[in-house]
Amino acid sequence: DDDDDDDTETTPSPSRSWRTLPVVHVLVFNPETPDEAIYTTSRRTADVARNDFLVFESLRDATRASVAISDTTPDGSMPVVDAVDPRVVAYMASTCGYGVECVAEGGDFTPPEVVVDETVGGEGDEDDDDDDDD
């Protein structure tokens, strides 16, 4: 039995879950390098932080999101769209303790205004004192 409490859908598809799709589309920065990273979203509700892998039902929607995200990255880097078996995403999410946010076909996705880059170091880097140069 899978616990669907970690799954959210933006503009949910009423007919099927992302887990039942033949593929989902993820956004990957620096593919096939040691710095490879899958785009995730983060949010905080009260004192609870939540991280989710972002997946798209539609290649077209994922491509549009990739362009929009590149406009928010400091160096203008654009993630590559990759088709992935949903079971791989489910495994990664359960291994990392992340949820999965699925953008249904035709759904609206707007990248957050604040981008947090956790491609280096990952967990536990919240107290970063190197940002005092503003």
mmCIF file with all atom_site columns, all heavy atoms in Angstrom, residues 56-69:
data_model
loop_
_atom_site.group_PDB
_atom_site.id
_atom_site.type_symbol
_atom_site.label_atom_id
_atom_site.label_alt_id
_atom_site.label_comp_id
_atom_site.label_asym_id
_atom_site.label_entity_id
_atom_site.label_seq_id
_atom_site.pdbx_PDB_ins_code
_atom_site.Cartn_x
_atom_site.Cartn_y
_atom_site.Cartn_z
_atom_site.occupancy
_atom_site.B_iso_or_equiv
_atom_site.pdbx_formal_charge
_atom_site.auth_seq_id
_atom_site.auth_comp_id
_atom_site.auth_asym_id
_atom_site.auth_atom_id
_atom_site.pdbx_PDB_model_num
ATOM 1   N N   . PHE A 1 56 ? 5.755  16.599 -14.502 1.00 0.00 ? 56 PHE A N   1
ATOM 2   C CA  . PHE A 1 56 ? 4.737  17.096 -15.427 1.00 0.00 ? 56 PHE A CA  1
ATOM 3   C C   . PHE A 1 56 ? 4.167  15.938 -16.218 1.00 0.00 ? 56 PHE A C   1
ATOM 4   O O   . PHE A 1 56 ? 4.909  15.041 -16.639 1.00 0.00 ? 56 PHE A O   1
ATOM 5   C CB  . PHE A 1 56 ? 5.360  18.101 -16.418 1.00 0.00 ? 56 PHE A CB  1
ATOM 6   C CG  . PHE A 1 56 ? 5.840  19.363 -15.766 1.00 0.00 ? 56 PHE A CG  1
ATOM 7   C CD1 . PHE A 1 56 ? 7.091  19.420 -15.163 1.00 0.00 ? 56 PHE A CD1 1
ATOM 8   C CD2 . PHE A 1 56 ? 5.041  20.491 -15.748 1.00 0.00 ? 56 PHE A CD2 1
ATOM 9   C CE1 . PHE A 1 56 ? 7.540  20.576 -14.561 1.00 0.00 ? 56 PHE A CE1 1
ATOM 10  C CE2 . PHE A 1 56 ? 5.482  21.658 -15.141 1.00 0.00 ? 56 PHE A CE2 1
ATOM 11  C CZ  . PHE A 1 56 ? 6.734  21.703 -14.543 1.00 0.00 ? 56 PHE A CZ  1
ATOM 12  N N   . GLU A 1 57 ? 2.873  15.962 -16.446 1.00 0.00 ? 57 GLU A N   1
ATOM 13  C CA  . GLU A 1 57 ? 2.245  14.974 -17.321 1.00 0.00 ? 57 GLU A CA  1
ATOM 14  C C   . GLU A 1 57 ? 2.643  15.213 -18.768 1.00 0.00 ? 57 GLU A C   1
ATOM 15  O O   . GLU A 1 57 ? 2.808  14.284 -19.539 1.00 0.00 ? 57 GLU A O   1
ATOM 16  C CB  . GLU A 1 57 ? 0.714  15.038 -17.208 1.00 0.00 ? 57 GLU A CB  1
ATOM 17  C CG  . GLU A 1 57 ? 0.161  14.505 -15.926 1.00 0.00 ? 57 GLU A CG  1
ATOM 18  C CD  . GLU A 1 57 ? -1.362 14.477 -15.920 1.00 0.00 ? 57 GLU A CD  1
ATOM 19  O OE1 . GLU A 1 57 ? -1.995 14.772 -16.968 1.00 0.00 ? 57 GLU A OE1 1
ATOM 20  O OE2 . GLU A 1 57 ? -1.925 14.169 -14.864 1.00 0.00 ? 57 GLU A OE2 1
ATOM 21  N N   . SER A 1 58 ? 2.792  16.476 -19.141 1.00 0.00 ? 58 SER A N   1
ATOM 22  C CA  . SER A 1 58 ? 2.974  16.861 -20.532 1.00 0.00 ? 58 SER A CA  1
ATOM 23  C C   . SER A 1 58 ? 4.390  17.364 -20.809 1.00 0.00 ? 58 SER A C   1
ATOM 24  O O   . SER A 1 58 ? 4.921  18.203 -20.072 1.00 0.00 ? 58 SER A O   1
ATOM 25  C CB  . SER A 1 58 ? 1.960  17.966 -20.868 1.00 0.00 ? 58 SER A CB  1
ATOM 26  O OG  . SER A 1 58 ? 2.355  18.731 -21.969 1.00 0.00 ? 58 SER A OG  1
ATOM 27  N N   . LEU A 1 59 ? 4.982  16.887 -21.889 1.00 0.00 ? 59 LEU A N   1
ATOM 28  C CA  . LEU A 1 59 ? 6.286  17.373 -22.339 1.00 0.00 ? 59 LEU A CA  1
ATOM 29  C C   . LEU A 1 59 ? 6.218  18.864 -22.648 1.00 0.00 ? 59 LEU A C   1
ATOM 30  O O   . LEU A 1 59 ? 7.117  19.629 -22.301 1.00 0.00 ? 59 LEU A O   1
ATOM 31  C CB  . LEU A 1 59 ? 6.741  16.589 -23.573 1.00 0.00 ? 59 LEU A CB  1
ATOM 32  C CG  . LEU A 1 59 ? 8.009  17.075 -24.270 1.00 0.00 ? 59 LEU A CG  1
ATOM 33  C CD1 . LEU A 1 59 ? 9.206  17.005 -23.336 1.00 0.00 ? 59 LEU A CD1 1
ATOM 34  C CD2 . LEU A 1 59 ? 8.261  16.259 -25.531 1.00 0.00 ? 59 LEU A CD2 1
ATOM 35  N N   . ARG A 1 60 ? 5.157  19.284 -23.273 1.00 0.00 ? 60 ARG A N   1
ATOM 36  C CA  . ARG A 1 60 ? 4.990  20.704 -23.630 1.00 0.00 ? 60 ARG A CA  1
ATOM 37  C C   . ARG A 1 60 ? 4.988  21.587 -22.385 1.00 0.00 ? 60 ARG A C   1
ATOM 38  O O   . ARG A 1 60 ? 5.659  22.610 -22.327 1.00 0.00 ? 60 ARG A O   1
ATOM 39  C CB  . ARG A 1 60 ? 3.708  20.908 -24.427 1.00 0.00 ? 60 ARG A CB  1
ATOM 40  C CG  . ARG A 1 60 ? 3.436  22.375 -24.758 1.00 0.00 ? 60 ARG A CG  1
ATOM 41  C CD  . ARG A 1 60 ? 2.237  22.513 -25.597 1.00 0.00 ? 60 ARG A CD  1
ATOM 42  N NE  . ARG A 1 60 ? 2.614  22.000 -26.910 1.00 0.00 ? 60 ARG A NE  1
ATOM 43  C CZ  . ARG A 1 60 ? 1.903  22.147 -28.001 1.00 0.00 ? 60 ARG A CZ  1
ATOM 44  N NH1 . ARG A 1 60 ? 0.749  22.762 -27.950 1.00 0.00 ? 60 ARG A NH1 1
ATOM 45  N NH2 . ARG A 1 60 ? 2.311  21.671 -29.143 1.00 0.00 ? 60 ARG A NH2 1
ATOM 46  N N   . ASP A 1 61 ? 4.239  21.175 -21.367 1.00 0.00 ? 61 ASP A N   1
ATOM 47  C CA  . ASP A 1 61 ? 4.183  21.954 -20.125 1.00 0.00 ? 61 ASP A CA  1
ATOM 48  C C   . ASP A 1 61 ? 5.533  21.971 -19.419 1.00 0.00 ? 61 ASP A C   1
ATOM 49  O O   . ASP A 1 61 ? 5.953  22.984 -18.870 1.00 0.00 ? 61 ASP A O   1
ATOM 50  C CB  . ASP A 1 61 ? 3.111  21.400 -19.184 1.00 0.00 ? 61 ASP A CB  1
ATOM 51  C CG  . ASP A 1 61 ? 1.708  21.566 -19.737 1.00 0.00 ? 61 ASP A CG  1
ATOM 52  O OD1 . ASP A 1 61 ? 1.480  22.461 -20.582 1.00 0.00 ? 61 ASP A OD1 1
ATOM 53  O OD2 . ASP A 1 61 ? 0.824  20.789 -19.330 1.00 0.00 ? 61 ASP A OD2 1
ATOM 54  N N   . ALA A 1 62 ? 6.240  20.840 -19.432 1.00 0.00 ? 62 ALA A N   1
ATOM 55  C CA  . ALA A 1 62 ? 7.561  20.764 -18.810 1.00 0.00 ? 62 ALA A CA  1
ATOM 56  C C   . ALA A 1 62 ? 8.549  21.676 -19.534 1.00 0.00 ? 62 ALA A C   1
ATOM 57  O O   . ALA A 1 62 ? 9.362  22.357 -18.899 1.00 0.00 ? 62 ALA A O   1
ATOM 58  C CB  . ALA A 1 62 ? 8.060  19.323 -18.806 1.00 0.00 ? 62 ALA A CB  1
ATOM 59  N N   . THR A 1 63 ? 8.474  21.711 -20.848 1.00 0.00 ? 63 THR A N   1
ATOM 60  C CA  . THR A 1 63 ? 9.359  22.573 -21.634 1.00 0.00 ? 63 THR A CA  1
ATOM 61  C C   . THR A 1 63 ? 9.086  24.039 -21.333 1.00 0.00 ? 63 THR A C   1
ATOM 62  O O   . THR A 1 63 ? 10.011 24.836 -21.151 1.00 0.00 ? 63 THR A O   1
ATOM 63  C CB  . THR A 1 63 ? 9.187  22.279 -23.138 1.00 0.00 ? 63 THR A CB  1
ATOM 64  O OG1 . THR A 1 63 ? 9.465  20.896 -23.369 1.00 0.00 ? 63 THR A OG1 1
ATOM 65  C CG2 . THR A 1 63 ? 10.109 23.139 -23.979 1.00 0.00 ? 63 THR A CG2 1
ATOM 66  N N   . ARG A 1 64 ? 7.826  24.392 -21.251 1.00 0.00 ? 64 ARG A N   1
ATOM 67  C CA  . ARG A 1 64 ? 7.453  25.770 -20.907 1.00 0.00 ? 64 ARG A CA  1
ATOM 68  C C   . ARG A 1 64 ? 7.972  26.144 -19.517 1.00 0.00 ? 64 ARG A C   1
ATOM 69  O O   . ARG A 1 64 ? 8.497  27.233 -19.305 1.00 0.00 ? 64 ARG A O   1
ATOM 70  C CB  . ARG A 1 64 ? 5.924  25.903 -20.941 1.00 0.00 ? 64 ARG A CB  1
ATOM 71  C CG  . ARG A 1 64 ? 5.437  27.236 -21.428 1.00 0.00 ? 64 ARG A CG  1
ATOM 72  C CD  . ARG A 1 64 ? 3.955  27.237 -21.611 1.00 0.00 ? 64 ARG A CD  1
ATOM 73  N NE  . ARG A 1 64 ? 3.637  25.972 -22.263 1.00 0.00 ? 64 ARG A NE  1
ATOM 74  C CZ  . ARG A 1 64 ? 2.482  25.539 -22.673 1.00 0.00 ? 64 ARG A CZ  1
ATOM 75  N NH1 . ARG A 1 64 ? 1.449  26.237 -22.514 1.00 0.00 ? 64 ARG A NH1 1
ATOM 76  N NH2 . ARG A 1 64 ? 2.286  24.410 -23.253 1.00 0.00 ? 64 ARG A NH2 1
ATOM 77  N N   . ALA A 1 65 ? 7.856  25.218 -18.572 1.00 0.00 ? 65 ALA A N   1
ATOM 78  C CA  . ALA A 1 65 ? 8.342  25.468 -17.213 1.00 0.00 ? 65 ALA A CA  1
ATOM 79  C C   . ALA A 1 65 ? 9.861  25.614 -17.200 1.00 0.00 ? 65 ALA A C   1
ATOM 80  O O   . ALA A 1 65 ? 10.403 26.450 -16.474 1.00 0.00 ? 65 ALA A O   1
ATOM 81  C CB  . ALA A 1 65 ? 7.904  24.339 -16.290 1.00 0.00 ? 65 ALA A CB  1
ATOM 82  N N   . SER A 1 66 ? 10.549 24.825 -18.007 1.00 0.00 ? 66 SER A N   1
ATOM 83  C CA  . SER A 1 66 ? 12.005 24.897 -18.082 1.00 0.00 ? 66 SER A CA  1
ATOM 84  C C   . SER A 1 66 ? 12.455 26.294 -18.502 1.00 0.00 ? 66 SER A C   1
ATOM 85  O O   . SER A 1 66 ? 13.380 26.868 -17.919 1.00 0.00 ? 66 SER A O   1
ATOM 86  C CB  . SER A 1 66 ? 12.538 23.847 -19.060 1.00 0.00 ? 66 SER A CB  1
ATOM 87  O OG  . SER A 1 66 ? 13.920 23.960 -19.211 1.00 0.00 ? 66 SER A OG  1
ATOM 88  N N   . VAL A 1 67 ? 11.792 26.845 -19.489 1.00 0.00 ? 67 VAL A N   1
ATOM 89  C CA  . VAL A 1 67 ? 12.119 28.203 -19.957 1.00 0.00 ? 67 VAL A CA  1
ATOM 90  C C   . VAL A 1 67 ? 11.823 29.220 -18.858 1.00 0.00 ? 67 VAL A C   1
ATOM 91  O O   . VAL A 1 67 ? 12.633 30.104 -18.581 1.00 0.00 ? 67 VAL A O   1
ATOM 92  C CB  . VAL A 1 67 ? 11.344 28.534 -21.251 1.00 0.00 ? 67 VAL A CB  1
ATOM 93  C CG1 . VAL A 1 67 ? 11.514 30.002 -21.628 1.00 0.00 ? 67 VAL A CG1 1
ATOM 94  C CG2 . VAL A 1 67 ? 11.776 27.619 -22.384 1.00 0.00 ? 67 VAL A CG2 1
ATOM 95  N N   . ALA A 1 68 ? 10.671 29.075 -18.204 1.00 0.00 ? 68 ALA A N   1
ATOM 96  C CA  . ALA A 1 68 ? 10.298 30.015 -17.136 1.00 0.00 ? 68 ALA A CA  1
ATOM 97  C C   . ALA A 1 68 ? 11.286 29.935 -15.972 1.00 0.00 ? 68 ALA A C   1
ATOM 98  O O   . ALA A 1 68 ? 11.669 30.958 -15.400 1.00 0.00 ? 68 ALA A O   1
ATOM 99  C CB  . ALA A 1 68 ? 8.880  29.722 -16.656 1.00 0.00 ? 68 ALA A CB  1
ATOM 100 N N   . ILE A 1 69 ? 11.724 28.731 -15.634 1.00 0.00 ? 69 ILE A N   1
ATOM 101 C CA  . ILE A 1 69 ? 12.678 28.561 -14.537 1.00 0.00 ? 69 ILE A CA  1
ATOM 102 C C   . ILE A 1 69 ? 14.019 29.185 -14.895 1.00 0.00 ? 69 ILE A C   1
ATOM 103 O O   . ILE A 1 69 ? 14.669 29.805 -14.053 1.00 0.00 ? 69 ILE A O   1
ATOM 104 C CB  . ILE A 1 69 ? 12.825 27.070 -14.177 1.00 0.00 ? 69 ILE A CB  1
ATOM 105 C CG1 . ILE A 1 69 ? 11.539 26.594 -13.495 1.00 0.00 ? 69 ILE A CG1 1
ATOM 106 C CG2 . ILE A 1 69 ? 14.046 26.817 -13.307 1.00 0.00 ? 69 ILE A CG2 1
ATOM 107 C CD1 . ILE A 1 69 ? 11.419 25.089 -13.373 1.00 0.00 ? 69 ILE A CD1 1
#
